[in-house]
Amino acid sequence: MTPTPAVGKDTMHQNPPPLTTTTVTVAYAGGDERRGPVTMGQANMIRCILRDDPTHINIHDVWPVPEGTTPAAVTDALRALTVRHEGLRTTFPHPPGAAPVDQFVAAEGTFTVTVLDHAELPGDPAEYAESVARAARAGRFALEREFPMRITLLTVTGQPVYVALAFSHAVADGSAMAILREEFAELLAGKELPELTSLPPVDLAAVEASPAGLRKSEASLRYWERILRTGPQEMFAEPRGRRPGTDEEARQLTLRSRRGARALAGAARRTGHPEATVLMAAWCALVAHRAGQDSCVTAVPSANRFHARVARSVTTTSQDALLHLDVGVETFDALVTRTWGAVLDAYRHSQFDSVRLWDMIGRVTAERGSHFGRDVVFNDVSALPAPLLGTDTQDSDDAEQELTWGPPQALPTRLLAFTYRTAPQLHISLWAAPSVFTPEEAEGFLTGLVQLLEAAAAGDVPMEELAEVTGVRPAERGPDWLRVDGCWVSPDAVRETLGRAVGGLPVWVTGEPGPAGTAAGATGAPGTGSHLTAYIACGATSLTPEEAHRALTALIPAAGSGVLAPHRYVLVENPPTEPDRSDAWRRLNTIDEGTGRSRQV
């Protein structure tokens, strides 16, 4: 799930109450009644809606209303959008305790608009409207019966100024909100909307369930499984890091840079690749460099709207494309060329059965003895038909380069970026986990990204010079950290976690040569074939390698950073007299040994 960026604090409690609060019921009719299975994107979001905090999974937007618009014109436009888009007339009937598998599109019905009338809008009007919209995200949407938009009309002495909305993520995503925002403005301007060309959700579900759609889903699952079995489980595996999936509160950091826009355009011209590809390459290069990894794994949520049949669908297509980019090339130009193909590959594999995907993730991570973290998210929405959350009105286009800090929000990732615009400014908002990035490091990351683009606009950049070019330094790890299975691992952290898992029995964990090579050294050289071996002194305790592995993997999701299950468990009776020496453990008589993994990785 991707957090929706927020651009203001929830300050409603700091403002005087409106003069009046009224509720208007709006009736709509004219659409077709339809039924069908849910789409893959809907199923993915419904899973999150039923599980996650509503303030995290619900999304919101604020639509400015042109001066002179009447309340009736606003409700007429909202009614027209509801009739036009089947997704807004959709509910998900299901029995209690079960997840919906079908969707129902109503031909007619009603929705309500809460009207808050004021003598004047308090404080910063846009920020106040933002706080009203964000407050409406509280409370889980009743999928089986509730209209999927919570609508508040803010007026001043009866004149509309803003519409503040919260959406169910089961019917809309960021792209859908942008489409609705654009069409709302066009309706208020008296324009006629064009015919719909993208598929409504029921028809999209039918395409996904076709033989070709099912083959596409199977291919996507295989693609994801390969990355989950071979790629790094944490991008930011380092001593100060937290486990992926552990929410932190991160402040929004926004870059607005004409320098960045000019540099991106220049780098695109010089390399002959689209700006989006160059920006993605720069992002991945800097993330991998900062993380000290030889590849970058990043989720790309907006990637699944690249096909015309869903480009302007008002529905949720929220399924990640997962980009796994090997940055082991000599120059940035070579990385840009590699990025083009890798991005297309990720896009092609961004449609899947989310229930089966999560089952596969659970199975693979248990077999590998890991916990895959959606550590890095890069969401480029600069090509959407309308900017999200009013970013067009917030930009100060004359800023050569500025960084501004905004409000905090819960962050279930380690690094989240939204690219809103690439011209005339490069406009990026970044949320960086404080456990991994100090405020100064977060600022340095964004300015370093601009510096990399400027260098790439001037000429090819040797990858080994990223620190000098960007000022961004790789993560620092102690000499005990190893590279195992493509992951950074702390044997000490594994030993502590395994010791807890087996009830406090003496444990020793070390890197050892695997069948195909030698163990990674203190410098973190990959050491092809290096394995982790755990020695456990069982005494009189009954224990098997499989039981030790299961107990450890149960703790890994909440464990510290750098924990990966050993490839080999060796059970001995008693610990050696020198329990902190690997050779002493190796000399002991073995009671039992095994991998614990049901499939070799």
Side-chain angles (χ1 to χ4, degrees):
M1 173 294 270
T2 306
T4 299
V7 292
K9 294 181 180 179
D10 188 352
T11 55
M12 290 183 66
H13 65 283
Q14 302 172 356
N15 297 307
L19 295 176
T20 62
T21 301
T22 57
T23 301
V24 177
T25 300
V26 181
Y28 65 86
D32 295 327
E33 180 178 305
R34 306 181 70 196
R35 295 177 185 269
V38 296
T39 67
M40 292 178 180
Q42 287 171 333
N44 189 38
M45 284 296 98
I46 287 170
R47 178 182 179 277
C48 298
I49 290 168
L50 296 176
R51 180 196 63 193
D52 295 342
D53 184 328
T55 60
H56 295 177
I57 189 62
N58 295 337
I59 55 178
H60 72 281
D61 202 0
V62 174
W63 299 347
V65 179
E67 186 176 354
T69 304
T70 65
V74 171
T75 55
D76 285 347
L78 292 168
R79 180 189 293 111
L81 291 176
T82 301
V83 173
R84 174 177 170 84
H85 296 290
E86 292 185 5
L88 301 183
R89 296 183 275 116
T90 296
T91 52
F92 303 90
H94 63 284
V101 295
D102 295 310
Q103 57 183 311
F104 171 70
V105 182
E108 58 185 19
T110 62
F111 59 86
T112 60
V113 178
T114 301
V115 182
L116 304 183
D117 192 38
H118 307 74
E120 60 180 7
L121 292 184
D124 181 330
E127 183 176 312
Y128 170 67
E130 166 75 16
S131 73
V132 172
R134 186 142 40 88
R137 288 167 61 162
R140 208 175 304 275
F141 274 89
L143 294 169
E144 73 281 4
R145 56 180 171 79
E146 187 176 354
F147 187 71
M149 291 194 299
R150 296 169 181 163
I151 307 169
T152 304
L153 177 60
L154 305 180
T155 61
V156 175
T157 61
Q159 294 300 306
V161 182
Y162 291 104
V163 181
L165 307 102
F167 290 81
S168 166
H169 216 331
V171 304
D173 55 17
S175 298
M177 289 195 303
I179 293 164
L180 291 170
R181 192 175 192 267
E182 178 189 53
E183 292 186 348
F184 176 75
E186 290 180 346
L187 287 169
L188 293 185
K191 297 180 181 179
E192 185 175 343
L193 298 181
E195 292 293 321
L196 295 174
T197 56
S198 293
L199 296 178
V202 172
D203 293 335
L204 179 58
V207 170
E208 293 174 342
S210 68
L214 294 176
R215 287 193 299 271
K216 185 178 181 68
S217 178
E218 290 294 331
S220 297
L221 293 175
R222 290 193 298 271
Y223 170 89
W224 275 69
E225 183 168 356
R226 177 180 59 79
I227 296 173
L228 292 173
R229 288 194 180 279
T230 61
Q233 295 296 285
E234 304 172 73
M235 281 304 297
F236 298 106
E238 53 188 87
R240 60 176 171 167
R242 296 188 190 180
R243 194 70 201 174
T246 305
D247 285 8
E248 298 183 59
E249 193 169 77
R251 292 180 65 195
Q252 178 183 4
L253 175 63
T254 297
L255 167 79
R256 295 184 176 91
S257 174
R258 283 186 171 272
R259 282 176 50 191
R262 289 194 301 269
L264 178 58
R269 284 193 303 270
R270 192 187 62 77
T271 61
H273 285 277
E275 290 187 2
T277 303
V278 174
L279 184 59
M280 181 67 76
W283 168 263
C284 289
L286 203 55
V287 167
H289 167 72
R290 166 60 181 79
Q293 302 277 14
D294 55 14
S295 66
C296 177
V297 176
T298 184
V300 190
S302 61
N304 41 18
R305 283 187 177 265
F306 70 99
H307 197 286
R309 66 173 174 243
V310 292
R312 291 188 61 87
S313 288
V314 173
T315 185
T316 184
T317 62
S318 292
Q319 294 186 280
D320 287 341
L322 188 66
L323 175 64
H324 184 202
L325 181 62
D326 181 354
V327 299
V329 292
E330 292 187 359
T331 68
F332 182 73
D333 284 10
L335 183 65
V336 173
T337 300
R338 178 175 290 183
T339 301
W340 172 256
V343 166
L344 290 180
D345 206 22
Y347 285 9
R348 283 195 295 265
H349 297 103
S350 61
Q351 177 186 310
F352 44 78
D353 182 326
S354 60
V355 174
R356 290 187 60 200
L357 175 75
W358 283 104
D359 287 345
M360 182 267 287
I361 290 174
R363 183 181 72 256
V364 170
T365 54
E367 291 170 356
R368 192 180 185 187
S370 61
H371 179 72
F372 175 72
R374 191 173 179 267
D375 236 6
V376 182
V377 180
F378 185 79
N379 207 354
D380 186 348
V381 296
S382 61
L384 293 182
L388 292 177
L389 301 177
T391 56
D392 52 340
T393 60
Q394 296 162 20
D395 280 344
S396 52
D397 285 340
D398 59 346
E400 186 66 10
Q401 183 155 300
E402 64 178 14
L403 289 169
T404 55
W405 285 97
Q409 72 172 59
L411 187 71
T413 69
R414 301 281 76 83
L415 197 65
L416 165 68
F418 273 76
T419 299
Y420 295 113
R421 300 173 72 181
T422 57
Q425 292 178 318
L426 181 61
H427 179 178
I428 299 176
S429 284
L430 183 78
W431 290 259
S435 66
V436 179
F437 290 83
T438 66
E440 294 76 18
E441 287 172 330
E443 291 180 353
F445 187 89
L446 281 182
T447 56
L449 184 67
V450 172
Q451 290 165 346
L452 175 55
L453 292 172
E454 288 178 327
D460 201 358
V461 179
M463 294 292 286
E464 63 181 15
E465 296 180 6
L466 284 182
E468 291 75 17
V469 169
T470 67
V472 175
R473 303 297 172 186
E476 294 183 2
R477 300 180 178 89
D480 59 315
W481 283 69
L482 308 175
R483 285 287 296 277
V484 178
D485 265 6
C487 304
W488 280 105
V489 178
S490 167
D492 285 346
V494 177
R495 176 170 54 83
E496 188 277 330
T497 307
L498 179 57
R500 287 191 289 116
V502 296
L505 294 174
V507 170
W508 182 253
V509 176
T510 184
E512 295 187 336
T518 57
T523 60
T528 303
S530 59
H531 284 187
L532 278 184
T533 296
Y535 295 87
I536 306 173
C538 296
T541 303
S542 174
L543 184 69
T544 68
E546 292 77 15
E547 290 169 342
H549 182 78
R550 284 197 298 271
L552 174 61
T553 54
L555 295 184
I556 284 178
S561 185
V563 178
L564 187 74
H567 296 75
R568 179 169 163 256
Y569 298 84
V570 178
L571 308 185
V572 299
E573 186 174 357
N574 296 306
T577 55
E578 297 178 285
D580 58 349
R581 292 178 58 90
S582 297
D583 57 346
W585 286 89
R586 294 187 188 105
R587 288 195 296 267
L588 298 175
N589 291 330
T590 298
I591 297 173
D592 193 7
E593 65 176 292
T595 177
R597 302 183 181 206
S598 57
R599 176 171 170 176
Q600 185 64 40
V601 177

